[in-house]
Amino acid sequence: MDIVIGGANDRTRAARGTQLCVSNTQADQASDDGYVPLPVFTLQDFQQLAVAPAASHVQPAPDTLKNMHTNVYAQAQPQTFTTTLGGYPVQVRAYPVQYTWYYGDGTTLGPTPLTGAPLPDGAWDEPTDTSHVYTTTGDFTVTLTTSFYGEYNIADTGWQPVAGYNQVTSPPVALSVWRATVHNVADDCHTNPTGIGCPGTDK
C-alpha cells in the first residue's frame, strides 16, 4: 500500500508514495486514493527517549578560588535510537547543538554552541569562552543543560526534523569557592616551624 510521507496532505505526499506492507488496522485509515498517512514523531516522543546527557566538567574542582577564572566544558556525542510509532519502525538521531551553564551564583552562560575545552595540564586561572569568575566565597552547584536536535525516519521513508529541542540536564557538579590569603614571611617552616602556613599550625 502507498504511504504518505509525513502526513495525509498534498504538500507532504511523496510523488509516488512508498510501498510498505501494513496491518489491516492501518489499511483502514487509507484515503480513497489508497494513501495511508504516517504518524508524526513529535517533540514529546523525542523527549521520551533515553538521550544521554553531556558529561559536565569543572576545572579546578571540587575547590576553586574567588576572583579567578574557573573553567567549565561539556563533552557530548550524537546518539541513535530505534523505536516504534503507531506500529511503524522509527529510527531517530539526536545531535547536541547548544549548551547552557548555570554557575550556581545566579549567573548563566548560553544557550551557546560552544562546548568549551579542558585546560592544559598545570594551567590555572586562564580565561576561556566558557569560564566563570566567582566574586563571593561559598558552596555552589554547577549545572549543564544540553539541547539536542532530532531527526526521525519512519519505515525508511526519509529523514525529517523533530519540531523542537530535547533539553537534557547533566548531573550537577558541586564546587566550593575559597578566598586566597597572601602573607609575606621572613623565614620558612624549617627555620620557624610555627610560622604561617606551616604544618600543624592554624595560621
Side-chain angles (χ1 to χ4, degrees):
M1 172 131 348
D2 284 337
I3 300 297
V4 174
I5 297 178
N9 61 73
D10 291 336
R11 290 179 299 174
T12 58
R13 179 173 297 163
R16 295 178 56 85
T18 300
Q19 298 294 325
L20 182 72
C21 292
V22 298
S23 67
N24 291 335
T25 301
Q26 293 165 331
D28 289 340
Q29 303 174 15
S31 61
D32 293 339
D33 54 0
Y35 284 90
V36 175
L38 286 178
V40 175
F41 192 82
T42 66
L43 177 59
Q44 289 71 30
D45 296 320
F46 189 26
Q47 292 171 336
Q48 291 178 2
L49 297 178
V51 177
S56 179
H57 300 275
V58 180
Q59 295 176 299
D63 302 303
T64 190
L65 291 177
K66 173 184 172 182
N67 296 327
M68 291 190 177
H69 292 276
T70 298
N71 186 48
V72 300
Y73 66 97
Q75 291 179 316
Q77 300 295 329
Q79 300 166 51
T80 59
F81 303 88
T82 300
T83 184
T84 59
L85 183 65
Y88 298 99
V90 184
Q91 296 173 288
V92 183
R93 299 188 293 214
Y95 302 95
V97 293
Q98 291 183 335
Y99 306 86
T100 302
W101 278 275
Y102 303 87
Y103 295 113
D105 61 351
T107 59
T108 62
L109 173 66
T112 173
L114 299 173
T115 62
L119 294 175
D121 290 342
W124 176 264
D125 189 29
E126 291 191 7
T128 68
D129 290 333
T130 55
S131 64
H132 179 61
V133 176
Y134 290 90
T135 58
T136 59
T137 59
D139 295 325
F140 302 94
T141 299
V142 180
T143 305
L144 169 65
T145 297
T146 305
S147 297
F148 286 84
Y149 166 78
E151 295 178 332
Y152 68 97
N153 183 356
I154 297 184
D156 290 326
T157 56
W159 290 96
Q160 301 184 69
V162 177
Y165 291 146
N166 185 0
Q167 296 184 327
V168 182
T169 300
S170 303
V173 178
L175 187 67
S176 293
V177 179
W178 298 82
R179 180 181 71 245
T181 302
V182 178
H183 296 276
N184 292 321
V185 294
D187 49 20
D188 57 30
C189 293
H190 294 289
T191 304
N192 181 13
T194 61
I196 293 174
C198 293
T201 69
D202 57 0
K203 299 179 182 180

